């Protein structure tokens, strides 16, 4: 298989890897960068377990060809804020944990984009994150609790 | 597997002109990459369009039309406030085509190019009388979207052509409606999708557009029904609508649904919408 060289920013650190030309971003992250927080679920863009942020936007890394991330920025579950993870855990967001990395990344997107968080219906917005334990209430509670936390931080830190 | 990454549209079109048959253009990859490891890649040559974002990624709004560049995504349309009032069905379909992870990657032009019968985006674009701007080294050709498809995943696009933009005329529209029926409310492929638009004019009777996806082997128009509606016919039952639609669409059986279900649901959805 032909090899290509890919240089991109992974969780704020620039990395370069020589990979098979037909690698997916998911393969690049898990098998070349050791970032195994990103999970492979369905492999067809439906379940959201492999969700990462690409230039700040949620994408399913199983549907992103690795050659398209050259020069771009990727954030994975490994970059999540520990305090956000504690909030999610406290609300029962994780049961088996398969969907959690994706849920963590969508939550992070919402905290970074409060205008989007205000506009959307959360349950519908999370429809790309399938939970096989059917624990959606716990997930939504967790996401809301993280968002509430960030709103407080914003208003504490914002101009008087 | 080989990858070509052109620096601009001209270079992409020159690459296609040299050897179009062997190349597969890729934008967001939401169709092409599905179950990727299970597909054969040997001999595949991908023409990566993602590097042309600057050239093909704009949404242009004029007094007469809206033009979506070929790399405009569903998410970009959802977040563009200008389009919310001008072309509300675009946001409607984009929100239902898949969740955020699909919306941020999938492009409107890709939805057209892939030719899936289930393309929600194509249904609303067709109801808005969209045109497809096809570019090639030989120049641009503009094709009405409603004559773009010739069969299941068959289109008038030549292998050396790329979709450069989608042009949607702005008109006075009184009715604008899109409805999708899937296995669940979100993140599902349509069993039936339908759009209806009524174009109002001060000096002519209203014109109608009725379009449907996941019903025929390609996204289709219900021209007989459009004419009946334009003539002012009032339908008193879904069955009456179905009898007219029978001349317009020949529904298919497939893994997601049956022809009978599709014909029944399509006519009921339209009836309920018309009945208010």
């Amino acid at each position: 298989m032909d090899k290509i060289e890919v240089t991109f920013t992974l969780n704020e650190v620039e990395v370069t890897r020589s990979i098979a030309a037909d690698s997916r971003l998911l393969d690049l992250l898990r098998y070349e960068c050791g970032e195994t927080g990103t999970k492979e679920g369905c492999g067809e863009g439906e379940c959201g377990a492999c969700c990462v942020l690409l230039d700040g936007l949620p994408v399913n890394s199983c549907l992103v060809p690795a050659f398209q991330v050259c020069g771009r920025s990727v954030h994975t579950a490994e970059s999540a804020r520990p305090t956000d993870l504690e909030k999610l855990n406290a609300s029962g967001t994780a049961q088996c944990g398969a969907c959690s990395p994706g849920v963590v990344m969508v939550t992070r997107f919402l905290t970074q984009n409060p205008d989007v968080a205000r506009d959307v219906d959360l349950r519908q917005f999370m429809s790309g994150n399938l939970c096989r334990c059917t624990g959606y209430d716990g997930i939504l509670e967790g996401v809301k609790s993280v968002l509430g936390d960030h709103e407080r931080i914003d208003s504490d830190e914002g101009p008087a | 597997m080989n990858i070509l990454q052109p620096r601009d549209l001209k270079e992409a079109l020159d690459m296609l002109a040299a050897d179009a048959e062997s190349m597969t253009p890729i934008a967001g990859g939401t169709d092409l990459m599905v179950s990727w490891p299970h597909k054969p890649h040997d001999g595949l040559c991908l023409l990566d369009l993602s590097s042309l974002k600057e050239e093909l990624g704009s949404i242009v709004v004029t007094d007469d039309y809206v033009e979506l560049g070929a790399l405009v995504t569903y998410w970009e349309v959802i977040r563009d406030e200008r389009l919310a009032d001008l072309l509300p069905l675009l946001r409607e379909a984009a929100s239902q085509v898949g969740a955020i992870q699909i919306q941020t990657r999938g492009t409107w032009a890709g939805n057209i190019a892939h030719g899936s019968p289930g393309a929600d985006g194509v249904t609303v674009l067709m109801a808005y009388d969209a045109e497809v701007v096809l570019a090639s080294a030989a120049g641009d050709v503009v094709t009405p979207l409603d004559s773009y498809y010739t069969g299941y995943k068959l289109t008038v696009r030549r292998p050396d052509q790329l979709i450069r933009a989608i042009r949607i005329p702005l008109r006075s529209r009184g009715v604008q409606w899109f409805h999708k029926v899937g296995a669940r409310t979100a993140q599902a492929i349509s069993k039936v999708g339908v759009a209806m638009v009524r174009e109002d004019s001060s000096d002519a009777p209203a014109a109608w557009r009725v379009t449907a996806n996941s019903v025929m082997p390609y996204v289709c128009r219900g021209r007989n029904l459009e004419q009946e509606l334009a003539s002012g016919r009032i339908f008193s039952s879904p069955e009456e609508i179905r009898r007219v639609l029978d001349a317009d669409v020949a529904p298919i059986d497939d893994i997601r649904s049956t022809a009978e279900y599709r014909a029944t649901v399509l006519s009921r959805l339209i009836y309920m919408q018309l009945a208010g």
Side-chain angles (χ1 to χ4, degrees), chain A residues 53-92:
Chain A
L53 301 188
L54 177 59
D55 288 342
L57 293 174
V59 302
N60 286 326
S61 59
C62 74
L63 292 188
V64 179
F67 62 78
Q68 283 191 345
V69 303
C70 289
R72 302 176 73 178
S73 162
V74 176
H75 285 92
T76 65
E78 281 84 351
S79 70
R81 292 185 354 156
T83 47
D84 289 352
L85 296 181
E86 282 163 22
K87 281 265 170 197
L88 291 171
N89 272 337
S91 306

Side-chain angles (χ1 to χ4, degrees), chain B residues 78-91:
Chain B
I78 289 172
R79 298 306 291 174
D80 193 316
E81 287 301 329
R82 297 173 299 173
L83 302 182
D85 291 330
L86 289 177
L87 298 166
L89 296 188
L90 295 189
R91 180 180 285 191

